[in-house]
Amino acid sequence: SLAIAKEGELSIGTIDDIQKLHIRTIPLNEQARRICHQEQSRTLAFCSFKYTQNSMEESEAHFIRLMDHQTFEFLSTHPLDQYECGCSMISCSFSDDNNFYYCVGTAYVLPEENEPTKGRILVFAVEDGRLQLIVEKETKGAVYSLNAFNGKLLAAINQKIQLYKWMTREDGSHELQSECGHHGHILALYTQTRGDFIVVGDLMKSISLLVYKHEESAIEELARDYNANWMTAVEMIDDDIYVGAENSYNLFTVRKNSDAATDEERGRLEVVGEYHLGEFVNRFRHGSLVMRLPDSEMGQIPTVIFGTINGVIGIIASLPHDHYVFLEKLQTTLVKFIKGVGSLSHEQWRSFHNDKKTSEARNFLDGDLIESFLDLNRSKMEEVAKAMAVPVEELSKRVEELMRLH
């Protein structure tokens, strides 16, 4: 417990287990770009680079490094070629092979080229705490994204989505063999997969949905969002709803129209949610930062973590409809009692706006605003509760439950 004595007041409290956040800093002494965890080998791998400058010239050296996932001691290093940098990294296994591998996608960033025309896919095994290069595959562009997909490897290489099979030669060595692909993107920067579906975040052409057809061994486009969004990250919340972040610091969600009446409607991803976050998101991941009790109501709510270039970590939770309606009413009520910095309008700040359009925020709630209810003094809380026609205790309980998601 914690006891705090003030003039005329003694407060005794305990620290909520769920809210404890342990932070440990591991100095790398260089810039990390990608990181990946492999439970099977009990290691972390990351792509990093070191910038050096002397009187004559400046240079960058890029590496793949391996460290122990508990002690964080460096175990192994694989230097990349001159001008080569790591763009993507995953841990995965392949069909008919029980081993787990680190797959790294790279690009050769040459000073005279606007866009990389050459890259590599490197497949490493961890043997005795060392990185062993098993397969090297040259590509005609930067490998912006990698995904484990149906026991194969799905890569986004410049304008193309490419699927590779894992083949075992007669001598026992392995190779990546191209199976099929899909053109038609400006730059396919981000990909996420679920079953046979592939969601692509394009440099300029927003989000598109592709499907892999096993019988024909082909990847085809099913639908896309026809808005021009410059994407910075994408994720599939479930089979039908996908979330994207774009470079004007907005979030938006799109929905697959699989039960629409016409082909044209089925080929269009419908924008169902829009929200101005005010942060440049560069990664979404399914998961949670806290222990979730599966039998509790909040334990059933799916969450996606996002990371931004300002070092912000945030949570997007998919709320049941009745929760959403209740909290939306609370948010609308709170705006009347809590004024923004400089009395700026909350509604205006959270509205989706970029070079092409401005529209009111919809189907997103501001968790930080809702949780600020708990910071109000008792009389303000009672005013809010009165406006909501809900007892203060119930309101506090509902908001505290929401806080347990992060």
Side-chain angles (χ1 to χ4, degrees):
S1 296
L2 192 67
I4 301 167
K6 294 187 197 169
E7 190 178 344
E9 182 185 322
L10 174 67
S11 302
I12 299 173
T14 58
I15 295 170
D16 185 339
D17 277 348
I18 293 176
Q19 295 298 328
K20 279 195 290 195
L21 193 62
H22 298 285
I23 297 171
R24 182 176 168 199
T25 304
I26 314 296
L28 302 175
N29 300 316
E30 55 194 46
Q31 180 76 41
R33 289 180 55 130
R34 301 287 182 269
I35 189 166
C36 184
H37 180 226
Q38 192 175 83
E39 186 67 51
Q40 293 76 14
S41 63
R42 305 172 67 79
T43 58
L44 289 162
F46 59 93
C47 302
S48 65
F49 70 90
K50 213 174 232 171
Y51 179 78
T52 52
Q53 184 173 17
N54 57 34
S55 54
M56 300 297 289
E57 60 176 5
E58 305 168 354
S59 65
E60 281 181 10
H62 290 256
F63 309 96
I64 312 297
R65 297 199 187 276
L66 188 73
M67 56 164 50
D68 186 282
H69 78 166
Q70 283 184 318
T71 63
F72 299 104
E73 97 180 85
F74 285 105
L75 302 173
S76 175
T77 296
H78 179 91
L80 294 176
D81 294 345
Q82 188 181 13
Y83 298 120
E84 185 182 25
C85 67
C87 299
S88 50
M89 177 185 272
I90 61 163
S91 166
C92 69
S93 63
F94 297 104
S95 296
D96 307 321
D97 186 343
N98 295 327
N99 299 310
F100 274 78
Y101 299 96
Y102 279 118
C103 300
V104 180
T106 75
Y108 287 88
V109 183
L110 302 175
E112 65 273 14
E113 288 184 351
N114 290 334
E115 207 50 59
T117 56
K118 186 181 158 198
R120 290 193 295 171
I121 296 172
L122 306 172
V123 182
F124 294 96
V126 178
E127 294 171 7
D128 302 323
R130 317 294 298 169
L131 281 171
Q132 302 290 340
L133 183 60
I134 305 293
V135 168
E136 171 189 345
K137 180 84 177 172
E138 285 208 0
T139 61
K140 292 179 179 173
V143 185
Y144 287 115
S145 181
L146 289 171
N147 284 84
F149 186 72
N150 287 294
K152 301 169 187 177
L153 186 66
L154 187 77
I157 304 165
N158 281 18
Q159 300 86 4
K160 192 176 182 185
I161 303 297
Q162 187 73 44
L163 186 62
Y164 294 96
K165 291 188 287 195
W166 186 244
M167 306 296 285
T168 306
R169 297 194 189 100
E170 286 178 9
D171 63 359
S173 64
H174 298 285
E175 68 170 320
L176 284 170
Q177 194 177 85
S178 177
E179 183 185 332
C180 61
H182 182 269
H183 290 272
H185 308 278
I186 307 283
L187 278 184
L189 297 180
Y190 316 99
T191 53
Q192 295 295 342
T193 61
R194 197 177 168 104
D196 292 334
F197 293 110
I198 304 160
V199 161
V200 180
D202 190 86
L203 173 71
M204 296 164 68
K205 286 166 66 176
S206 197
I207 294 175
S208 52
L209 175 67
L210 314 178
V211 64
Y212 171 59
K213 299 199 165 173
H214 292 259
E215 302 76 31
E216 296 140 57
S217 192
I219 296 172
E220 292 177 8
E221 182 175 290
L222 271 187
R224 52 184 277 232
D225 173 23
Y226 285 86
N227 292 298
N229 287 314
W230 292 61
M231 302 305 295
T232 67
V234 294
E235 185 56 272
M236 304 178 80
I237 288 180
D238 57 32
D239 286 346
D240 298 327
I241 304 283
Y242 321 128
V243 63
E246 51 85 84
N247 74 336
S248 292
Y249 316 139
N250 300 297
L251 299 177
F252 65 99
T253 47
V254 293
R255 181 172 60 204
K256 181 171 71 170
N257 281 325
S258 43
D259 51 356
T262 66
D263 284 348
E264 191 204 349
E265 285 175 313
R266 281 194 292 274
R268 187 180 293 275
L269 291 174
E270 181 193 359
V271 178
V272 288
E274 296 175 302
Y275 183 76
H276 183 71
L277 182 68
E279 291 279 346
F280 186 108
V281 175
N282 53 17
R283 195 72 167 92
F284 289 114
R285 283 297 297 266
H286 279 278
S288 172
L289 295 174
V290 292
M291 291 293 288
R292 305 280 291 277
L293 301 172
D295 52 347
S296 71
E297 192 181 2
M298 285 294 164
Q300 307 298 323
I301 292 177
T303 54
V304 170
I305 304 169
F306 62 82
T308 80
I309 61 170
N310 289 331
V312 168
I313 295 175
I315 303 281
I316 300 173
S318 305
L319 300 172
H321 182 69
D322 55 335
H323 270 60
Y324 180 87
V325 171
F326 178 84
L327 292 169
E328 186 180 40
K329 188 179 174 189
L330 175 57
Q331 177 176 283
T332 309
T333 309
L334 280 171
V335 169
K336 297 168 189 166
F337 293 90
I338 297 171
K339 290 286 168 263
V341 176
S343 294
L344 291 171
S345 153
H346 180 267
E347 189 182 14
Q348 200 178 338
W349 165 244
R350 291 304 184 194
S351 64
F352 180 105
H353 54 88
N354 59 21
D355 297 343
K356 298 275 188 295
K357 66 167 191 174
T358 298
S359 52
E360 282 186 15
R362 59 192 172 115
N363 289 330
F364 274 91
L365 294 175
D366 187 339
D368 290 330
L369 173 66
I370 289 168
E371 287 174 13
S372 65
F373 169 77
L374 300 174
D375 299 330
L376 296 175
N377 60 38
R378 182 72 190 183
S379 62
K380 274 268 170 66
M381 278 185 174
E382 280 167 357
E383 284 182 59
V384 173
K386 189 177 174 188
M388 289 278 295
V390 175
V392 171
E393 286 68 27
E394 191 191 329
L395 264 187
S396 297
K397 182 169 166 283
R398 295 285 289 265
V399 176
E400 280 167 5
E401 277 177 356
L402 196 67
M403 289 181 76
R404 291 182 186 278
L405 289 171
H406 60 78

